[in-house]
Amino acid sequence: NAGVTQTPKFQVLKTGQSMTLQCAQDMNHNSMYWYRQDPGMGLRLIYYSASEGTTDKGEVPNGYNVSRLNKREFSLRLESAAPSQTSVYFCASDRNTEAFFGQGTRLTVV
Amino acid sequence: AQSVTQPDIHITVSEGASLELRCNYSYGATPYLFWYVQSPGQGLQLLLKYFSGDTLVQGIKGFEAEFKRSQSSFNLRKPSVHWSDAAEYFCAVGLPQGGNQFYFGTGTSLTVIP
């Protein structure tokens, strides 16, 4: 049972570079989420997708875009990375309002 | 706007002592309530959840939480802490609206001393 799988686990970007964080779940969940975790701020919702083909902004969407490619996959894209986007990113999916989390992607923007 | 408050940033307890982590929420109705634990370098694991019914909820690893509507609180407790309980603990609310949005508190870091 893989659950929620995120790639990569670690990434260092230069300011202005772009990259896509990948997330896949094998639990047939409809809803998927992207969060960022920063010290002293808990987890903040970036974007979520209630079902395949739909996406909505969360608390902190600026600087990010998402794609719900199919039911399994939900990617997060940084078009022009900024140092303020240095964070740990978590993908999650949910069943009956219980969220399941990936292991996280630690992103550093220099 | 909905919010989740964990007033204790860091707590230190001795192994074998009891533990209570506080959580308060602000929301117009009773949301779904959760406690998650995060070990270093790991994702979040669900400890327990409250949707409705009995206000005392039992979870994994010997944890329990009590929902108190009058205080808008959902405090996490454990009668006897083990060294392996050292981790970060997050309280969260789930809002069942178009995608089940989850909002998290800022977390409480637990240190267990022998």
Side-chain angles (χ1 to χ4, degrees):
Chain A
N1 245 359
V4 179
T5 303
Q6 292 182 234
T7 55
K9 288 186 169 50
F10 300 94
Q11 184 71 49
V12 178
L13 290 178
K14 293 182 179 179
T15 298
Q17 285 185 316
S18 63
M19 80 160 295
T20 300
L21 281 63
Q22 306 289 350
C23 175
Q25 52 94 6
D26 61 1
M27 296 173 283
N28 202 36
H29 292 167
N30 286 323
S31 299
M32 297 185 72
Y33 311 83
W34 276 105
Y35 289 89
R36 60 177 290 172
Q37 182 179 29
D38 302 291
M41 303 190 77
L43 279 78
R44 293 180 292 169
L45 182 64
I46 305 172
Y47 271 92
Y48 68 99
S49 170
S51 62
E52 184 180 349
T54 68
T55 61
D56 287 284
K57 296 178 181 179
E59 299 174 73
V60 289
N62 291 344
Y64 305 96
N65 285 300
V66 291
S67 295
R68 183 72 183 269
L69 304 170
N70 47 54
K71 193 170 187 179
R72 289 188 65 249
E73 298 172 288
F74 187 39
S75 62
L76 178 72
R77 183 160 179 84
L78 287 71
E79 291 290 352
S80 179
S84 61
Q85 294 178 303
T86 293
S87 186
V88 181
Y89 291 84
F90 287 98
C91 177
S93 66
D94 94 271
R95 174 191 67 199
N96 297 331
T97 321
E98 175 180 340
F100 295 81
F101 287 82
Q103 295 297 298
T105 296
R106 185 173 295 276
L107 175 67
T108 302
V109 183
V110 298
Chain B
Q2 50 279 347
S3 67
V4 182
T5 302
Q6 291 180 249
D8 303 307
I9 295 173
H10 185 246
I11 286 181
T12 299
V13 299
S14 298
E15 191 168 15
S18 64
L19 172 70
E20 182 169 26
L21 302 183
R22 296 182 290 165
C23 174
N24 293 92
Y25 66 90
S26 172
Y27 183 54
T30 300
Y32 302 147
L33 296 162
F34 307 84
W35 275 99
Y36 284 85
V37 61
Q38 183 182 33
S39 297
Q42 301 297 310
L44 279 71
Q45 180 186 21
L46 181 68
L47 284 175
L48 47 77
K49 59 188 176 185
Y50 173 79
F51 289 173
S52 64
D54 192 345
T55 56
L56 185 61
V57 180
Q58 302 297 320
I60 63 172
K61 305 185 180 186
F63 285 93
E64 66 178 27
E66 185 172 13
F67 169 59
K68 293 186 177 180
R69 185 188 306 275
S70 61
Q71 299 177 19
S72 295
S73 69
F74 189 56
N75 293 349
L76 182 71
R77 300 194 295 249
K78 187 169 185 178
S80 178
V81 170
H82 188 263
W83 64 266
S84 61
D85 293 324
E88 188 93 15
Y89 291 81
F90 292 94
C91 180
V93 302
L95 307 180
Q97 54 191 44
N100 297 326
Q101 297 183 52
F102 299 92
Y103 292 88
F104 287 81
T106 52
T108 298
S109 176
L110 175 66
T111 297
V112 181
I113 56 176

